[in-house]
Amino acid sequence: MATKKPTPRASGPDFERPLVTVDVVIFTVIEEQLKVLLVRRPETATDPYPGRMALPGGFINVDVDASLYDCALRKLGEKTGFKTPYLEQLGSWGSTKRDPRGWCATHVYFALVPPPEDSEAAVSAASAASEWVEVDTALRKRLAFDHAEILTAAVERLRGKVEYTSLPAFLLQEPFTLPQLQRTYEIVLGRPMDKSAFRKRMLDAQFLVEEGSIAGDAGRSAMGYRILDRERAAVFPRTFRSVEVQSTKE
Amino acid sequence: MATKKPTPRASGPDFERPLVTVDVVIFTVIEEQLKVLLVRRPETATDPYPGRMALPGGFINVDVDASLYDCALRKLGEKTGFKTPYLEQLGSWGSTKRDPRGWCATHVYFALVPPPEDSEAAVSAASAASEWVEVDTALRKRLAFDHAEILTAAVERLRGKVEYTSLPAFLLQEPFTLPQLQRTYEIVLGRPMDKSAFRKRMLDAQFLVEEGSIAGDAGRSAMGYRILDRERAAVFPRTFRSVEVQSTKE
DNA sequence: ATAATAGTGTCTCTCAGACACTATTAA
DNA sequence: TTAATAGTGTCTGAGAGACACTATTAT
């Protein structure tokens, strides 16, 4: 740990260093809704945006975090009992004005996790003042900093990639069934999908391994699947709806 | 301008702030080759990697740069007489070890510019010790910092997006012809393309406007085109070669 | 006329979508 | 047997690729 406002020990440029943070946009699907994890900022008036909801994140700790990715993993771990989640970089936002404390740049990561078990949910909600919020609700909440803009970008990236990748599989507890996976796609994209096309696509992409039958609440039981390689998402040969169906013909 | 090693005027965390830089990967096509702009680092022994080639970039100047994007634009402008180039964020790299001066994070941008006029080329090469280097050659050059890794990521991103966007159009001086554009795609992707499919795709995407005939060195003259909207690239409904042609049939 | 380049037409193949069909399970 | 859900088969259409064709220009 370092002392308060230290003179930097390392050399560098002769001007002021910006503040550097890492924020994480953590998505999951709970109760048929796409949700994002938000935390409430402290009420202390010395902090910017006291009491507002914000994306989980914070300053890089130069003494603890070996890299940006490690820092994101740490923040993710602090908020959720992460279970080999999907974590990728989203981008960075930096400007004079985005933080009242001074020139600040944030590196934003993007995580997909399965819905928390009830026990965990209670723990994390209680201990960390964190909350799973449906994304559109979150966007109406006047988030701290430029987090609304960041969340918008994250949702856009998620929806964009979902059109041609297996990302939604990382939002489910394993093993899961194809109907469950299809439902997850539909929730993220906000539109219904054709069952036959969906199944062909998933199975052709070879990213699932069978894991025995799973019985549902009613009707025929379904095959359970696990993700073959949790390190990377499968990429489909085409997007789901190539552009928009633009019928020039009347 | 600030004084040397100032105590930060703004509040923030009680630990050391990382160094923050912005680097720009600037691509163009010269003499039928994909090239990237590199600069030689100063020979002064106090600087890290003296004399090595590196991506253009440097520390954020908190007093001058309003945002990360502005900083990237400034660095781009300093190195090239930029002509409304294509500029997007690539990602950020940050860790304890990537800069010997201390914990350092860099925000990397990715630019596409038309080949410099001869006059400009001479100017920039002379004045700034900068040089256009063919990308594979650049990767063999033992670049400063982790710039080889960054360049690899940039080339990967470029090639990836070129499969389904109009990005290569930003590498050409306007107006250009479809055969010239096709040649540019082929240079970036390193493989020949079918003329008929290529033309259908470009014209169907509606991102070009006709600009009168242009005569070449020989043969029939070709239609010249400009980019309709230089703010964004066109996105095609499918990638060029959907995945790799995996012939399971012998 | 010929060489060289620009540009078109036609066929095939792949894969997304529509939609009707069959299969399995519990009550 | 019926309701509910899982899973399949068949047809269509869009668009990429292969490739042979026609068009225009300079010499």
Side-chain angles (χ1 to χ4, degrees), chain B:
Chain B
M1 297 301 140
T3 52
K4 200 170 197 298
K5 302 283 156 50
T7 296
R9 63 168 177 233
S11 59
D14 288 348
F15 23 79
E16 190 184 330
R17 298 183 182 192
L19 296 164
V20 180
T21 63
V22 168
D23 294 309
V24 190
V25 185
I26 310 171
F27 289 110
T28 198
V29 169
I30 299 175
E31 291 165 351
E32 307 263 291
Q33 290 182 319
L34 179 63
K35 302 204 174 189
V36 62
L37 190 68
L38 298 180
V39 298
R40 190 171 296 282
R41 293 192 55 78
E43 293 285 353
T44 34
T46 56
D47 276 295
Y49 300 97
R52 287 275 192 91
M53 298 303 274
L55 296 170
F59 293 104
I60 290 217
N61 186 331
V62 166
D63 301 313
V64 168
D65 302 309
S67 68
L68 291 173
Y69 187 85
D70 286 351
C71 182
L73 258 187
R74 176 170 68 82
K75 310 251 177 227
L76 180 63
E78 286 170 2
K79 300 299 171 194
T80 67
F82 68 95
K83 32 206 106 181
T84 51
Y86 179 87
L87 184 62
E88 74 168 44
Q89 200 179 70
L90 175 65
S92 56
W93 277 255
S95 76
T96 333
K97 299 177 316 193
R98 61 178 298 278
D99 191 314
R101 291 166 295 191
W103 218 109
C104 178
T106 186
H107 303 261
V108 183
Y109 283 76
F110 167 109
L112 304 178
V113 300
E117 311 284 343
D118 284 347
S119 52
E120 294 177 68
V123 168
S124 72
S127 69
S130 64
E131 194 183 340
W132 290 104
V133 182
E134 192 276 326
V135 289
D136 290 314
T137 312
L139 284 171
R140 282 194 298 271
K141 263 188 189 299
R142 294 176 38 77
L143 301 178
F145 306 103
D146 50 3
H147 286 190
E149 184 186 333
I150 292 172
L151 177 55
T152 301
V155 172
E156 212 166 279
R157 168 93 136 242
L158 174 61
R159 296 224 169 99
K161 287 191 94 162
V162 164
E163 294 282 354
Y164 62 94
T165 66
S166 64
L167 282 190
F170 294 95
L171 294 167
L172 284 168
Q173 205 71 254
E174 291 175 306
F176 50 83
T177 67
L178 281 181
Q180 283 168 359
L181 183 57
Q182 181 176 345
R183 191 73 199 102
T184 306
Y185 270 85
E186 292 172 339
I187 289 164
V188 174
L189 292 177
R191 67 166 193 260
M193 317 206 60
D194 179 79
K195 189 173 36 158
S196 175
F198 181 83
R199 298 176 62 93
K200 265 185 289 186
R201 203 176 162 135
M202 295 302 136
L203 295 174
D204 287 355
Q206 303 262 16
F207 71 100
L208 296 172
V209 277
E210 298 194 351
E211 177 89 354
S213 239
I214 295 177
D217 292 340
R220 178 173 171 178
S221 54
M223 180 56 71
Y225 293 92
R226 281 185 186 283
I227 297 170
L228 181 60
D229 175 7
R230 291 194 64 92
E231 292 303 303
R232 67 207 84 255
V235 176
F236 307 129
R238 297 196 203 161
T239 62
F240 265 105
R241 270 219 282 249
S242 310
V243 192
E244 276 306 303
V245 183
Q246 38 197 2
S247 44
T248 315
K249 299 161 188 171
E250 46 81 52

Side-chain angles (χ1 to χ4, degrees), chain A residues 116-172:
Chain A
E117 311 285 342
D118 284 347
S119 54
E120 296 178 67
V123 168
S124 73
S127 71
S130 63
E131 195 184 340
W132 291 104
V133 182
E134 192 275 327
V135 289
D136 292 314
T137 312
L139 284 171
R140 281 193 298 272
K141 264 188 188 297
R142 293 175 40 75
L143 300 180
F145 306 103
D146 49 3
H147 287 188
E149 184 187 333
I150 292 172
L151 177 56
T152 301
V155 172
E156 212 166 278
R157 169 94 135 241
L158 173 62
R159 296 223 167 100
K161 288 190 94 162
V162 164
E163 295 282 355
Y164 61 96
T165 66
S166 65
L167 281 190
F170 294 96
L171 293 167
L172 285 168

